[in-house]
Amino acid sequence: MNSHYSYIRKLLCTAIAASLLLTACGSDSQDAETTTDLDNATTPIEETTILTDDVPELDFDGAQFRTIEQESTYYGFYTEEANGDVLNDVIYERNNSIEERFNMEFAETQRLPYGEISTMVKKSVMSGSDEFDLVFGQTFQSAADSQEGIFYDWNEVPYVDFTKPWYTKSIQDASVGDRLYLIESDLSIGYLQQTWMMLYNKTKAAELGNIPDLYQMVEDGTWTIDELDRLSRDVYIDVNGDTTRDDGDFYGFAGTRDGCMFVAFVYGCDGRFMSLDDDLNIVQHINSEKTISILEKLSKLFVSNTGTLQKENAFTRQDIFPKGIVLFEPMQMHDLLKPEFDMRNMEDEFGVLPIPKYDAEQEEYYTVVDGGADIMVIPTTVSNIEFVGAIVEAMSAASYNDVIPVYMGQAIEQKGARDEESIKILREILDSRVIDFAYLYDGFKGWAMKLPGLILSPDTIASSIDSQLPAVTDYYEGVVELMTENE
């Protein structure tokens, strides 16, 4: 598994400093920027070797860099001033450093609901206005908007180097031929925050007595979907004694077949829905032997496993894992810090795990980020593309080196997640994020959002896929046609 030594080393230093300070998380809100009180303290972090960008010395003569982002993003691109909150302040210092380096300044970011961002940006481009240098739009909405030809091709942006570790490794898989309209990097904190992973209840695992060393399984590469199904199967305790399976009982696994949480398990098993060949023809993988096998295994876990608590949607997870009523549950990275989850005051100890593999032969662990997360696009009306490329590359590198380690230092400070294994696994989870054309351009007409109905019965998965294959192929062909027409 790919991990970055300097990054892990810096994370360890951040974690140790946080532990010594006995720091605590503050409150945050979906509708406002958040603060996390770390006792207004700063502790020197051991000097480490960092990776640098290759942007040359440039002077932008005081130009303003203008951004817009989703209001739901915790800790966004811009912060007005230092306030003693360690994450806010490292973002503030990053921005100040970039401003001084390039003789430019950041305009205050506009923060709006994703639908309003979409409307505003489309209206701006259609009118020929140059209002935004960089847009952090919602992933699925931005993918739909890109079909209208309103975004700049990132492959044509100077200084942006996708071989650098601050970009999602698979980002070119989201291309349409040689055109790439949406990207992710460590500059997008919203993308980090909505990364899917697993948590497990250490306290309950010890009480059950038959749960192996899960960290060792991850290290050995044997943390698989079959093992998750085996360890959670039949783990059900009627805690409240009412003879009814409800939220007052204890379960082996909790999850939903609906939405991106479930999709993370397909990609975690190295499954793919479809891809484009060199001639932009649709190549379906959903009906391959491997993908059907993955869906069959997931059907066992989510539908027929007697230890599974089936939930209607992923938003109910805050009412399950923090209350100690489940052994395993898929969660998002930022759930560790959300005040409504209150993980710091969870009675039980917990640990961090990646989404499980398909089998032990699979070389790496994989995951996806929720489709509601931020993604970065550039309006075609931007007037100075060199300015945009230089700032995005430099800011992404600075985020990788400075902001993300501090964010993760806060995350692992939560009760039960202070161990070295959790720190290492968190970084590896971020390194394992996958993004591709099929997921990005699903539009609720591709395969990703059809999965809940597909896996109800393992015996009908293949036939259900076959019946829907022509319509889904037509949909993706239409997406490609729209995007190539708008060149």
Side-chain angles (χ1 to χ4, degrees), residues 396-416:
S396 296
S399 295
Y400 172 89
N401 286 310
D402 299 320
V403 177
I404 302 305
V406 170
Y407 177 92
M408 293 178 65
Q410 289 185 358
I412 57 87
E413 167 58 16
Q414 305 312 298
K415 182 178 180 181

PDB file of all heavy atoms in Angstrom, residues 396-416:
ATOM      1  N   SER A 396      -2.252  23.535  -3.352  1.00  0.00           N
ATOM      2  CA  SER A 396      -2.436  22.094  -3.148  1.00  0.00           C
ATOM      3  C   SER A 396      -1.236  21.503  -2.421  1.00  0.00           C
ATOM      4  O   SER A 396      -1.385  20.685  -1.505  1.00  0.00           O
ATOM      5  CB  SER A 396      -2.644  21.392  -4.491  1.00  0.00           C
ATOM      6  OG  SER A 396      -3.825  21.826  -5.124  1.00  0.00           O
ATOM      7  N   ALA A 397      -0.035  21.922  -2.825  1.00  0.00           N
ATOM      8  CA  ALA A 397       1.178  21.442  -2.158  1.00  0.00           C
ATOM      9  C   ALA A 397       1.221  21.894  -0.702  1.00  0.00           C
ATOM     10  O   ALA A 397       1.553  21.113   0.201  1.00  0.00           O
ATOM     11  CB  ALA A 397       2.408  21.944  -2.905  1.00  0.00           C
ATOM     12  N   ALA A 398       0.873  23.156  -0.464  1.00  0.00           N
ATOM     13  CA  ALA A 398       0.872  23.680   0.902  1.00  0.00           C
ATOM     14  C   ALA A 398      -0.161  22.967   1.768  1.00  0.00           C
ATOM     15  O   ALA A 398       0.072  22.717   2.954  1.00  0.00           O
ATOM     16  CB  ALA A 398       0.603  25.182   0.877  1.00  0.00           C
ATOM     17  N   SER A 399      -1.292  22.615   1.185  1.00  0.00           N
ATOM     18  CA  SER A 399      -2.313  21.879   1.932  1.00  0.00           C
ATOM     19  C   SER A 399      -1.820  20.485   2.287  1.00  0.00           C
ATOM     20  O   SER A 399      -2.017  19.998   3.402  1.00  0.00           O
ATOM     21  CB  SER A 399      -3.607  21.790   1.109  1.00  0.00           C
ATOM     22  OG  SER A 399      -4.176  23.061   0.917  1.00  0.00           O
ATOM     23  N   TYR A 400      -1.190  19.834   1.332  1.00  0.00           N
ATOM     24  CA  TYR A 400      -0.639  18.487   1.546  1.00  0.00           C
ATOM     25  C   TYR A 400       0.370  18.500   2.685  1.00  0.00           C
ATOM     26  O   TYR A 400       0.371  17.624   3.559  1.00  0.00           O
ATOM     27  CB  TYR A 400      -0.006  17.993   0.251  1.00  0.00           C
ATOM     28  CG  TYR A 400       0.762  16.701   0.362  1.00  0.00           C
ATOM     29  CD1 TYR A 400       0.125  15.475   0.188  1.00  0.00           C
ATOM     30  CD2 TYR A 400       2.128  16.698   0.623  1.00  0.00           C
ATOM     31  CE1 TYR A 400       0.829  14.288   0.292  1.00  0.00           C
ATOM     32  CE2 TYR A 400       2.834  15.517   0.723  1.00  0.00           C
ATOM     33  CZ  TYR A 400       2.189  14.312   0.554  1.00  0.00           C
ATOM     34  OH  TYR A 400       2.884  13.140   0.653  1.00  0.00           O
ATOM     35  N   ASN A 401       1.242  19.501   2.687  1.00  0.00           N
ATOM     36  CA  ASN A 401       2.333  19.544   3.653  1.00  0.00           C
ATOM     37  C   ASN A 401       1.924  20.075   5.021  1.00  0.00           C
ATOM     38  O   ASN A 401       2.475  19.651   6.036  1.00  0.00           O
ATOM     39  CB  ASN A 401       3.474  20.405   3.112  1.00  0.00           C
ATOM     40  CG  ASN A 401       4.256  19.723   2.006  1.00  0.00           C
ATOM     41  OD1 ASN A 401       4.672  18.585   2.147  1.00  0.00           O
ATOM     42  ND2 ASN A 401       4.430  20.407   0.885  1.00  0.00           N
ATOM     43  N   ASP A 402       0.955  20.997   5.070  1.00  0.00           N
ATOM     44  CA  ASP A 402       0.669  21.712   6.307  1.00  0.00           C
ATOM     45  C   ASP A 402      -0.760  21.527   6.830  1.00  0.00           C
ATOM     46  O   ASP A 402      -0.953  21.252   8.009  1.00  0.00           O
ATOM     47  CB  ASP A 402       0.944  23.209   6.122  1.00  0.00           C
ATOM     48  CG  ASP A 402       2.393  23.492   5.761  1.00  0.00           C
ATOM     49  OD1 ASP A 402       3.274  22.830   6.328  1.00  0.00           O
ATOM     50  OD2 ASP A 402       2.634  24.361   4.912  1.00  0.00           O
ATOM     51  N   VAL A 403      -1.750  21.684   5.952  1.00  0.00           N
ATOM     52  CA  VAL A 403      -3.138  21.699   6.419  1.00  0.00           C
ATOM     53  C   VAL A 403      -3.646  20.293   6.736  1.00  0.00           C
ATOM     54  O   VAL A 403      -4.225  20.052   7.797  1.00  0.00           O
ATOM     55  CB  VAL A 403      -4.056  22.380   5.380  1.00  0.00           C
ATOM     56  CG1 VAL A 403      -5.508  22.324   5.839  1.00  0.00           C
ATOM     57  CG2 VAL A 403      -3.621  23.828   5.163  1.00  0.00           C
ATOM     58  N   ILE A 404      -3.441  19.351   5.816  1.00  0.00           N
ATOM     59  CA  ILE A 404      -3.991  18.010   6.001  1.00  0.00           C
ATOM     60  C   ILE A 404      -3.409  17.309   7.235  1.00  0.00           C
ATOM     61  O   ILE A 404      -4.148  16.677   7.999  1.00  0.00           O
ATOM     62  CB  ILE A 404      -3.781  17.154   4.738  1.00  0.00           C
ATOM     63  CG1 ILE A 404      -4.445  17.836   3.528  1.00  0.00           C
ATOM     64  CG2 ILE A 404      -4.348  15.758   4.942  1.00  0.00           C
ATOM     65  CD1 ILE A 404      -5.918  18.155   3.699  1.00  0.00           C
ATOM     66  N   PRO A 405      -2.092  17.413   7.508  1.00  0.00           N
ATOM     67  CA  PRO A 405      -1.578  16.797   8.740  1.00  0.00           C
ATOM     68  C   PRO A 405      -2.228  17.354  10.006  1.00  0.00           C
ATOM     69  O   PRO A 405      -2.492  16.617  10.945  1.00  0.00           O
ATOM     70  CB  PRO A 405      -0.081  17.117   8.699  1.00  0.00           C
ATOM     71  CG  PRO A 405       0.231  17.254   7.250  1.00  0.00           C
ATOM     72  CD  PRO A 405      -0.977  17.911   6.656  1.00  0.00           C
ATOM     73  N   VAL A 406      -2.501  18.665  10.026  1.00  0.00           N
ATOM     74  CA  VAL A 406      -3.149  19.249  11.198  1.00  0.00           C
ATOM     75  C   VAL A 406      -4.584  18.745  11.316  1.00  0.00           C
ATOM     76  O   VAL A 406      -5.045  18.401  12.404  1.00  0.00           O
ATOM     77  CB  VAL A 406      -3.122  20.792  11.123  1.00  0.00           C
ATOM     78  CG1 VAL A 406      -3.995  21.408  12.212  1.00  0.00           C
ATOM     79  CG2 VAL A 406      -1.692  21.298  11.259  1.00  0.00           C
ATOM     80  N   TYR A 407      -5.288  18.685  10.202  1.00  0.00           N
ATOM     81  CA  TYR A 407      -6.656  18.159  10.213  1.00  0.00           C
ATOM     82  C   TYR A 407      -6.683  16.735  10.751  1.00  0.00           C
ATOM     83  O   TYR A 407      -7.499  16.386  11.616  1.00  0.00           O
ATOM     84  CB  TYR A 407      -7.247  18.195   8.803  1.00  0.00           C
ATOM     85  CG  TYR A 407      -8.643  17.600   8.725  1.00  0.00           C
ATOM     86  CD1 TYR A 407      -9.759  18.406   8.873  1.00  0.00           C
ATOM     87  CD2 TYR A 407      -8.829  16.229   8.545  1.00  0.00           C
ATOM     88  CE1 TYR A 407     -11.034  17.855   8.839  1.00  0.00           C
ATOM     89  CE2 TYR A 407     -10.092  15.674   8.515  1.00  0.00           C
ATOM     90  CZ  TYR A 407     -11.194  16.492   8.653  1.00  0.00           C
ATOM     91  OH  TYR A 407     -12.451  15.937   8.633  1.00  0.00           O
ATOM     92  N   MET A 408      -5.789  15.906  10.270  1.00  0.00           N
ATOM     93  CA  MET A 408      -5.773  14.516  10.698  1.00  0.00           C
ATOM     94  C   MET A 408      -5.285  14.372  12.129  1.00  0.00           C
ATOM     95  O   MET A 408      -5.695  13.456  12.851  1.00  0.00           O
ATOM     96  CB  MET A 408      -4.931  13.684   9.734  1.00  0.00           C
ATOM     97  CG  MET A 408      -5.565  13.603   8.357  1.00  0.00           C
ATOM     98  SD  MET A 408      -4.573  12.673   7.179  1.00  0.00           S
ATOM     99  CE  MET A 408      -4.638  11.052   7.921  1.00  0.00           C
ATOM    100  N   GLY A 409      -4.441  15.299  12.573  1.00  0.00           N
ATOM    101  CA  GLY A 409      -4.032  15.302  13.973  1.00  0.00           C
ATOM    102  C   GLY A 409      -5.225  15.505  14.892  1.00  0.00           C
ATOM    103  O   GLY A 409      -5.319  14.899  15.961  1.00  0.00           O
ATOM    104  N   GLN A 410      -6.163  16.350  14.477  1.00  0.00           N
ATOM    105  CA  GLN A 410      -7.385  16.537  15.245  1.00  0.00           C
ATOM    106  C   GLN A 410      -8.235  15.275  15.216  1.00  0.00           C
ATOM    107  O   GLN A 410      -8.795  14.853  16.229  1.00  0.00           O
ATOM    108  CB  GLN A 410      -8.193  17.701  14.669  1.00  0.00           C
ATOM    109  CG  GLN A 410      -7.584  19.062  14.920  1.00  0.00           C
ATOM    110  CD  GLN A 410      -8.490  20.176  14.422  1.00  0.00           C
ATOM    111  OE1 GLN A 410      -9.554  19.917  13.860  1.00  0.00           O
ATOM    112  NE2 GLN A 410      -8.071  21.401  14.614  1.00  0.00           N
ATOM    113  N   ALA A 411      -8.346  14.663  14.028  1.00  0.00           N
ATOM    114  CA  ALA A 411      -9.216  13.504  13.873  1.00  0.00           C
ATOM    115  C   ALA A 411      -8.770  12.350  14.760  1.00  0.00           C
ATOM    116  O   ALA A 411      -9.594  11.716  15.428  1.00  0.00           O
ATOM    117  CB  ALA A 411      -9.259  13.069  12.412  1.00  0.00           C
ATOM    118  N   ILE A 412      -7.463  12.070  14.796  1.00  0.00           N
ATOM    119  CA  ILE A 412      -6.998  10.925  15.566  1.00  0.00           C
ATOM    120  C   ILE A 412      -6.920  11.230  17.062  1.00  0.00           C
ATOM    121  O   ILE A 412      -6.735  10.324  17.876  1.00  0.00           O
ATOM    122  CB  ILE A 412      -5.625  10.409  15.058  1.00  0.00           C
ATOM    123  CG1 ILE A 412      -4.562  11.490  15.079  1.00  0.00           C
ATOM    124  CG2 ILE A 412      -5.777   9.794  13.690  1.00  0.00           C
ATOM    125  CD1 ILE A 412      -3.832  11.656  16.364  1.00  0.00           C
ATOM    126  N   GLU A 413      -7.091  12.509  17.458  1.00  0.00           N
ATOM    127  CA  GLU A 413      -7.095  12.843  18.878  1.00  0.00           C
ATOM    128  C   GLU A 413      -8.378  12.365  19.552  1.00  0.00           C
ATOM    129  O   GLU A 413      -8.461  12.261  20.771  1.00  0.00           O
ATOM    130  CB  GLU A 413      -6.920  14.356  19.064  1.00  0.00           C
ATOM    131  CG  GLU A 413      -7.199  14.900  20.468  1.00  0.00           C
ATOM    132  CD  GLU A 413      -6.336  14.266  21.553  1.00  0.00           C
ATOM    133  OE1 GLU A 413      -5.315  13.637  21.214  1.00  0.00           O
ATOM    134  OE2 GLU A 413      -6.693  14.373  22.731  1.00  0.00           O
ATOM    135  N   GLN A 414      -9.398  12.036  18.765  1.00  0.00           N
ATOM    136  CA  GLN A 414     -10.640  11.574  19.367  1.00  0.00           C
ATOM    137  C   GLN A 414     -10.415  10.302  20.176  1.00  0.00           C
ATOM    138  O   GLN A 414      -9.528   9.511  19.904  1.00  0.00           O
ATOM    139  CB  GLN A 414     -11.690  11.328  18.287  1.00  0.00           C
ATOM    140  CG  GLN A 414     -11.941  12.539  17.398  1.00  0.00           C
ATOM    141  CD  GLN A 414     -12.139  13.813  18.192  1.00  0.00           C
ATOM    142  OE1 GLN A 414     -13.075  13.925  18.969  1.00  0.00           O
ATOM    143  NE2 GLN A 414     -11.252  14.777  18.016  1.00  0.00           N
ATOM    144  N   LYS A 415     -11.263  10.103  21.163  1.00  0.00           N
ATOM    145  CA  LYS A 415     -11.104   8.970  22.088  1.00  0.00           C
ATOM    146  C   LYS A 415     -10.998   7.646  21.335  1.00  0.00           C
ATOM    147  O   LYS A 415     -11.842   7.328  20.516  1.00  0.00           O
ATOM    148  CB  LYS A 415     -12.299   8.925  23.033  1.00  0.00           C
ATOM    149  CG  LYS A 415     -12.231   7.812  24.067  1.00  0.00           C
ATOM    150  CD  LYS A 415     -13.424   7.855  24.993  1.00  0.00           C
ATOM    151  CE  LYS A 415     -13.346   6.738  26.024  1.00  0.00           C
ATOM    152  NZ  LYS A 415     -14.521   6.757  26.922  1.00  0.00           N
ATOM    153  N   GLY A 416      -9.948   6.919  21.598  1.00  0.00           N
ATOM    154  CA  GLY A 416      -9.802   5.592  21.020  1.00  0.00           C
ATOM    155  C   GLY A 416      -9.073   5.571  19.703  1.00  0.00           C
ATOM    156  O   GLY A 416      -8.739   4.518  19.201  1.00  0.00           O
TER     157      GLY A 416
END
